[in-house]
Amino acid sequence: MTGGLTRFNIVSLVLGFSFLYLPIVLLVAFSFNESRLVTVWGGFSTRWYGELFRNQQMIDAAWVTVRVGLVSATVATVLGTLAAVALVRFQRFRARMLFTGMVYAPLVMPEVITGLSLLLLFVSLDMDRGFWTITIAHVTLTMCFVTVVVQSRLLTFDRSLEEAALDLGATPLRAFLSVTLPLIAPAVAAGWMLAFTLSLDDLVIASFTSGPGATTLPMRIYSQARLGVSPEINAACTILIGVVAIAIVMASLATKRGLLVGRST
Amino acid sequence: MMGDAGAGNAAGRGTGRTATQAVGSVRRSFAPWTDPGAKPLIRYEKVTRRFGDVRAVDGVDLDIYEREFFCLLGPSGCGKTTLMRMLAGFETPTEGRILLGGVDLAGLPPYRRPVNMMFQSYALFPHMSVEANVAFGLKQDGVARSEIQDRVAAVLKLVQLEGYGRRRPDQLSGGQRQRVALARALVKRPKVLLLDEPLGALDKKLREETQFELMDLQVELGMTFLVVTHDQDEAMTMADRIAMMDRGRIAQCGTPAEIYETPATRGVASFVGDVTMFEGVVEGRAGSIVSVAGEGAAPSVLVDEAVSGRAGAVAVGARVAVAVRPEKITLAQDPPPPGTPNVIEGEVWDIGYLGDWTVYRIRLADGAIVRVSRANASRFVERPITWEDRVWIHFAPAAGVLLAE
Amino acid sequence: MTRPGVETGGRGSGDDASRRGRWLVVGPPFLWLGLFFLLPFLIVARMSLSERATARPPYRPAFAWEDGPAGWWDKLGQLSLDNFVSLLDEPLYLDALFTSLRIAATATLILILIGYPIAYAMARAPGRLRPILVTLAILPFWTSFLIRVYAWIGILKPEGLLNAALAAIGVIDEPLQILDTEIAVQIGLVYSYLPFMVLPIYASLEKLDGTLLEAAQDLGCPPWKAFWLVTVPLSMPGVLAGAFLVFIPALGEFVVPDLLGGSETLMIGRTLWSEFFSNRDWPLASAVAIVLLVVILGPMLLWRAVPQRDAEAGR
């Protein structure tokens, strides 16, 4: 679709994007507010960041969150990529229907139900709840997103490239490692990023599956947010936003460079 | 066309003759399929491939001999690609078996088969340089690094891509990419080189040039080529033999001249070249001359069934068609002398001027259209034929082919 | 040419090695999902049929492997639909369900009205601007959902920024009570899910062939009419996709109503949470979960039917 922007279009864009970004901008801005009151600007200060870094509970929670994120995103990327390959490449196998259902269902399942059912599982298996149960839960939730991302790349992937590798004597495994994987690597990386941020964000499932000693940052932020707004949480949120923003910038730079290598002239 | 020194190396076969001589002499005498004692390199035995209810390939028997340039020709969906992919190992026959050098290929995965394929899309690995693409197959076989380098260099020279080794596929033109794909498949010295629509992505001029290059290369390397194509000109130009496929079966297998001059079925006659079919019923025969009666206003024609070597194949009363090529029909502006066989009167309906040839569409009394072509040998024509002219067409009984199917 | 794309699974079907290779690919994700998705779900289903008393934590499983078939048969008699009956008896749960449906539906409607003009403007923007706009629309998705909802508390609360701003320009004298009302929940949902509505609509509008509109005008259709007769129908798949993407998660939403809705907005996700954590009635909570799933399954089945229709219409 083409055509110039009318005044109405411009107004929609400006209002729409202001609505999307203003709350985040305000949140970030007020994390640098000297005053404890949200509505009063007391001057620029990094004092809440200082307090945040002295808050051992917050630091611990952040550390748990990052560890859960790294482990679960990595496992989810491996499992999710395998599932995507299975869905795209193997058109017919026993229990394909069940498999497809299980892959897509977590995408639409309300988080409360996923969390609740996993908790019941861990209780009946008599597992100690903590770091590992959260990690398992996050793998289950995020691998499906990885699958969707990788699958969409595999669907546009020229199958004859793989056949050419087989034809030239590569075993299926080597064909996958030397031809398919390098070519779908950007999608796999994007899948990992998505899994990591989802894990970083998750409150509901983590709340159900965590135990004593394993509190994630969203859980900490949530329990404080219920008590009201505090500049310290604003500071924590700002750091989280910053980390994600840096990761996204780095990822997009990496894929851009990847593209340049792929088709430099 | 191709460098002869490099070619000899890559094939592991030295020859003192120049490329042109080699092509001529080899082509002239090469006909192993006429020798009953010759052993085929590739043998399809009653091969069927079903996809659900569809028989993509239906009971195919086919022998292909060593050093043959063989074309599978046919319209889309005729099963030719499936037939070839079964040889490469990408499809499994539902029934029957495929032998290569007398060995059954069943159960052998693609990566263990001594055949290589040039893909229609070329399937060049976009993340690898030209060199890495060509070296890929040798690396899988664990060939020593120095040998890989030598062989890659030799084959790149063979396809005239010296100096392009460091480029990536997307930095090459279409023709260059085609050569890389060819080099990549050649470098492993396969027993059979499979080419899936090898020239399909090239423009017309380049395609014609490349056809001859491929032919020279094949003779130079002494390799067996199996080509899939839907382009009849391509098949006719390049192939020693053509198998014309139709709905999963082989309609006819033979040299280009056999396919064109004596098509076995209506399908073959109309797919390869232009043709006019005179439909009718066999009325009687005198020696090898069969008379076919047209129904209603349709003309009756005489045809010499000895031409096709299938004498006596049709009984009196059978419904048949007589296929006549446009260049074998004579076009006259005056009635031909009495006693001329197969004279039919008509009206010029359309004229297509093609430069070297002019194609006339002549409308007969029953409304049927006959295609006649005339070479424009002379620059000046006294009485040019024009639209709505009354004309007479005639052809010798030996010009037509009697088709029962 | 026979290019049997659908049949690629046929390759080497008789081959043991390739079959083993396949299970190495399918196996790990399959087992993982079976153990951590399917099995837990079955446990919830079983739990929803257990008696409250026996299931009070630490609960006794309704079925246990060591019971053997005879024991299972015995237990089968103890299964009860009591939990589901009590859902009907207590208006709390039904209310929560209907409130959820109403709020999710309203939010979806508002999102269509807000999202369509934005997506439309994005699609009409000059080519080099579009990738930037798309990135801008996607970016909030990468920032934490919780944080984005939390940000609104500071804006909406009585002494918050919105009231301060409105008071400053003299629109209001007294602060409005927005936080802890349904309006706040609606704002939160609309805000959180806006990208999910904008992006699918944008995708369908962007694909739209500009010459179609030119053809409509060439055939005598004024621009506004061409919009209604060509653009809107052709972007319906995007609108539907957006609606489903928004409606289903909104239905089970927990964070938004919990942080912005106060105690008076009871949505089903929240009910489930509190039933589980506060009342600790696990069988009842499981029954609520099952009901919620059934409610979601309805639109899901509809959704499955939609793409097929589109594919046919596209042909």
Side-chain angles (χ1 to χ4, degrees):
Chain A
M1 219 173 117
T2 44
L5 290 172
T6 62
R7 196 171 304 156
F8 175 70
N9 293 150
I10 294 171
V11 169
S12 316
L13 282 179
V14 170
L15 283 182
F17 284 107
S18 316
F19 177 60
L20 272 182
Y21 282 92
L22 204 58
I24 300 174
V25 170
L26 288 173
L27 178 91
V28 172
F30 276 91
S31 75
F32 294 105
N33 188 4
E34 172 70 31
S35 159
R36 175 164 278 282
L37 295 167
V38 218
T39 36
V40 186
W41 182 254
F44 181 88
S45 147
T46 53
R47 112 176 213 224
W48 303 112
Y49 289 87
E51 293 209 0
L52 183 67
F53 287 118
R54 280 189 296 276
N55 184 338
Q56 195 52 43
Q57 281 186 328
M58 277 287 184
I59 302 287
D60 290 346
W63 181 226
V64 169
T65 310
V66 169
R67 266 165 51 219
V68 168
L70 289 175
V71 175
S72 70
T74 307
V75 177
T77 303
V78 173
L79 290 174
T81 304
L82 286 177
V85 171
L87 285 178
V88 176
R89 290 286 185 261
F90 311 148
Q91 293 300 324
R92 281 185 306 185
F93 59 88
R94 262 171 290 164
R96 186 184 151 90
M97 274 285 281
L98 176 67
F99 187 63
T100 317
M102 287 199 302
V103 168
Y104 291 125
L107 295 175
V108 292
M109 190 72 100
E111 287 174 322
V112 240
I113 297 184
T114 310
L116 178 148
S117 62
L118 276 165
L119 172 58
L120 292 188
L121 174 80
F122 295 142
V123 167
S124 51
L125 291 179
D126 216 13
M127 273 175 86
D128 282 336
R129 274 166 283 148
F131 174 80
W132 286 108
T133 48
I134 304 178
T135 307
I136 287 172
H138 280 184
V139 171
T140 312
L141 174 75
T142 58
M143 69 175 276
C144 310
F145 289 87
V146 176
T147 303
V148 170
V149 173
V150 175
Q151 192 186 16
S152 66
R153 175 69 189 92
L154 275 177
L155 283 173
T156 59
F157 184 82
D158 182 3
R159 189 76 209 276
S160 62
L161 289 174
E162 245 169 50
E163 288 185 342
L166 293 175
D167 186 67
L168 293 166
T171 59
L173 180 65
R174 290 192 68 175
F176 181 79
L177 292 179
S178 61
V179 174
T180 315
L181 198 56
L183 291 174
I184 63 166
V188 175
W192 188 92
M193 279 279 299
L194 184 57
F196 184 71
T197 39
L198 283 171
S199 166
L200 224 58
D201 283 356
D202 169 67
L203 162 71
V204 177
I205 292 176
S207 302
F208 273 99
T209 53
S210 82
T215 305
T216 65
L217 202 53
M219 288 165 68
R220 185 69 63 199
I221 292 174
Y222 169 74
S223 61
Q224 293 205 12
R226 295 199 72 178
L227 305 175
V229 179
S230 88
E232 205 179 317
I233 306 179
N234 284 5
C237 294
T238 305
I239 290 175
L240 258 182
I241 293 170
V243 168
V244 172
I246 290 168
I248 288 173
V249 169
M250 271 166 45
S252 66
L253 281 180
T255 49
K256 265 213 188 99
R257 194 184 298 160
L259 288 177
L260 284 180
V261 170
R263 59 171 80 138
S264 56
T265 33
Chain B
M1 219 78 236
M2 301 287 177
D4 31 21
N9 269 343
R13 191 183 75 120
T15 164
R17 290 172 300 187
T18 66
T20 13
Q21 271 173 344
V23 174
S25 52
V26 170
R27 286 259 153 158
R28 217 172 294 138
S29 59
F30 184 74
W33 52 89
T34 54
D35 172 8
K39 283 226 160 64
L41 176 65
I42 304 161
R43 164 161 267 175
Y44 286 91
E45 274 181 10
K46 299 202 168 42
V47 172
T48 295
R49 175 65 168 120
R50 269 194 299 266
F51 295 119
D53 292 336
V54 184
R55 285 164 177 264
V57 171
D58 191 359
V60 165
D61 284 304
L62 186 65
D63 285 348
I64 298 170
Y65 296 87
E66 202 169 347
R67 301 196 178 187
E68 197 174 351
F69 199 123
F70 197 95
C71 270
L72 291 169
L73 176 67
S76 334
C78 70
K80 56 188 193 297
T81 300
T82 309
L83 196 62
M84 174 154 114
R85 285 169 62 86
M86 284 193 285
L87 183 57
F90 295 122
E91 303 289 348
T92 320
T94 318
E95 288 160 29
R97 54 182 199 152
I98 303 170
L99 307 172
L100 181 69
V103 180
D104 191 348
L105 290 175
L108 213 57
Y111 48 93
R112 297 223 186 86
R113 296 191 180 200
V115 298
N116 286 121
M117 184 157 164
M118 191 187 130
F119 288 77
Q120 183 175 14
S121 62
Y122 306 148
L124 298 178
F125 306 130
H127 58 305
M128 297 182 194
S129 68
V130 168
E131 273 173 357
N133 263 283
V134 177
F136 186 90
L138 297 175
K139 269 190 196 147
Q140 305 308 318
D141 290 354
V143 176
R145 189 178 294 254
S146 59
E147 194 191 334
I148 291 183
Q149 277 179 355
D150 294 347
R151 280 170 73 175
V152 168
V155 79
L156 284 181
K157 191 174 173 214
L158 180 71
V159 298
Q160 299 169 341
L161 280 177
E162 293 158 291
Y164 287 89
R166 307 248 168 235
R167 298 226 188 159
R168 279 174 185 275
D170 52 10
Q171 295 170 294
L172 301 176
S173 71
Q176 289 167 335
R177 264 181 247 169
Q178 193 257 3
R179 284 151 190 275
V180 177
L182 185 61
R184 190 177 68 177
L186 277 176
V187 76
K188 291 194 73 178
R189 297 171 192 164
K191 284 194 176 160
V192 187
L193 183 67
L194 310 176
L195 301 104
D196 187 1
E197 303 276 2
L199 311 174
L202 304 180
D203 56 51
K204 193 164 182 283
K205 262 234 139 56
L206 195 55
R207 194 155 61 211
E208 281 169 10
E209 258 172 54
T210 316
Q211 281 173 8
F212 289 104
E213 285 179 13
L214 273 180
M215 288 161 67
D216 292 349
L217 192 68
Q218 188 255 343
V219 172
E220 275 300 303
L221 301 178
M223 220 180 243
T224 311
F225 277 28
L226 175 58
V227 176
V228 157
T229 180
H230 68 276
D231 182 333
Q232 44 143 327
D233 290 336
E234 203 171 294
M236 303 276 280
T237 309
M238 298 193 294
D240 290 317
R241 278 194 306 155
I242 295 171
M244 166 79 203
M245 289 193 68
D246 190 18
R247 277 163 292 175
R249 292 163 183 267
I250 292 184
Q252 189 175 5
C253 179
T255 63
E258 283 166 7
I259 299 263
Y260 185 78
E261 297 295 341
T262 55
T265 65
R266 284 184 172 89
V268 174
S270 53
F271 188 80
V272 180
D274 281 334
V275 76
T276 300
M277 307 267 194
F278 296 95
E279 304 279 343
V281 173
V282 176
E283 205 175 30
R285 52 158 55 93
S288 68
I289 306 291
V290 176
S291 70
V292 176
E295 283 164 28
S300 298
V301 293
L302 298 175
V303 60
D304 187 347
E305 64 177 353
V307 171
S308 60
R310 293 185 285 262
V314 286
V316 172
R319 307 205 113 264
V320 292
V322 175
V324 191
R325 300 290 185 190
E327 77 279 4
K328 294 193 170 59
I329 303 179
T330 313
L331 189 59
Q333 283 159 298
D334 300 307
T340 312
N342 297 334
V343 176
I344 308 162
E345 198 183 341
E347 182 192 355
V348 176
W349 197 249
D350 252 322
I351 303 177
Y353 175 73
L354 302 176
D356 47 355
W357 291 81
T358 300
V359 175
Y360 300 89
R361 282 154 52 88
I362 311 298
R363 192 169 187 270
L364 306 186
D366 65 332
I369 298 283
V370 176
R371 300 170 67 103
V372 181
S373 61
R374 286 222 295 198
N376 297 322
S378 167
R379 194 176 279 275
F380 301 102
V381 180
E382 231 170 78
R383 269 172 69 196
I385 297 173
T386 183
W387 279 267
E388 296 179 6
D389 275 3
R390 197 111 290 269
V391 289
W392 285 263
I393 58 168
H394 59 96
F395 56 90
V401 176
L402 192 62
L403 299 174
E405 273 179 54
Chain C
M1 204 102 4
T2 319
R3 278 231 166 267
V6 259
E7 281 290 333
T8 44
R11 155 150 44 105
S13 45
D15 198 352
D16 274 355
S18 100
R19 183 157 292 181
R20 203 169 341 121
R22 255 186 211 208
W23 279 105
L24 281 178
V25 175
V26 185
F30 199 111
L31 289 178
W32 185 283
L33 287 171
L35 186 58
F36 295 116
F37 184 75
L38 192 62
L39 182 64
F41 179 70
L42 294 177
I43 294 177
V44 172
R46 190 185 62 182
M47 173 84 73
S48 71
L49 297 170
S50 306
E51 297 232 7
R52 288 199 204 185
T54 57
R56 201 165 282 277
Y59 76 105
R60 268 274 303 146
F63 287 99
W65 293 118
E66 58 271 18
D67 287 348
W72 297 343
W73 182 250
D74 192 39
K75 289 275 168 63
L76 208 59
Q78 295 175 24
L79 287 186
S80 68
L81 292 171
D82 282 0
N83 297 312
F84 292 94
V85 174
S86 63
L87 286 188
L88 288 176
D89 285 349
E90 292 179 49
L92 173 71
Y93 303 106
L94 278 182
D95 278 357
L97 190 61
F98 286 124
T99 312
S100 297
L101 282 169
R102 180 168 49 80
I103 290 179
T106 318
T108 307
L109 215 63
I110 297 172
L111 275 163
I112 293 174
L113 293 178
I114 295 179
Y116 200 100
I118 299 175
Y120 186 71
M122 279 168 67
R124 282 179 68 98
R128 80 209 129 69
L129 210 64
R130 276 189 229 162
I132 302 171
L133 291 174
V134 172
T135 314
L136 277 177
I138 293 174
L139 269 184
F141 173 74
W142 291 90
T143 57
S144 167
F145 190 84
L146 176 65
I147 293 175
R148 282 182 289 143
V149 176
Y150 162 78
W152 279 96
I153 301 179
I155 298 172
L156 294 179
K157 63 181 187 173
E159 66 278 21
L161 292 163
L162 183 64
N163 277 318
L166 290 178
I169 55 171
V171 179
I172 51 166
D173 297 328
E174 271 179 36
L176 297 170
Q177 177 63 44
I178 304 175
L179 192 68
D180 297 340
T181 65
E182 207 177 299
I183 297 170
V185 176
Q186 291 289 5
I187 293 176
L189 287 175
V190 167
Y191 174 71
S192 314
Y193 290 114
L194 188 58
F196 291 96
M197 184 58 87
V198 169
L199 289 170
I201 300 180
Y202 167 76
S204 64
L205 283 174
E206 206 251 340
K207 272 191 306 200
L208 196 85
D209 185 354
T211 55
L212 289 178
L213 290 175
E214 287 174 3
Q217 294 193 27
D218 181 64
L219 295 168
C221 202
W224 63 269
K225 215 171 166 190
F227 174 79
W228 275 114
L229 295 177
V230 179
T231 310
V232 169
L234 284 175
S235 59
M236 273 327 269
V239 174
L240 268 179
F244 278 103
L245 278 177
V246 162
F247 180 77
I248 288 172
L251 204 55
E253 185 53 56
F254 167 75
V255 176
V256 175
D258 194 64
L259 285 183
L260 303 179
S263 53
E264 66 173 75
T265 353
L266 261 185
M267 282 180 77
I268 192 89
R270 238 185 119 196
T271 313
L272 219 167
W273 175 288
S274 56
E275 202 58 60
F276 207 83
F277 283 113
S278 316
N279 301 349
R280 296 188 71 77
D281 188 343
W282 290 10
L284 195 67
S286 301
V288 174
I290 296 289
V291 169
L292 177 54
L293 255 189
V294 170
V295 170
I296 283 173
L297 223 58
M300 280 305 299
L301 292 177
L302 250 171
W303 171 236
R304 272 185 70 106
V306 168
Q308 285 155 15
R309 254 208 336 254
D310 288 345
E312 278 160 27
R315 242 160 238 167

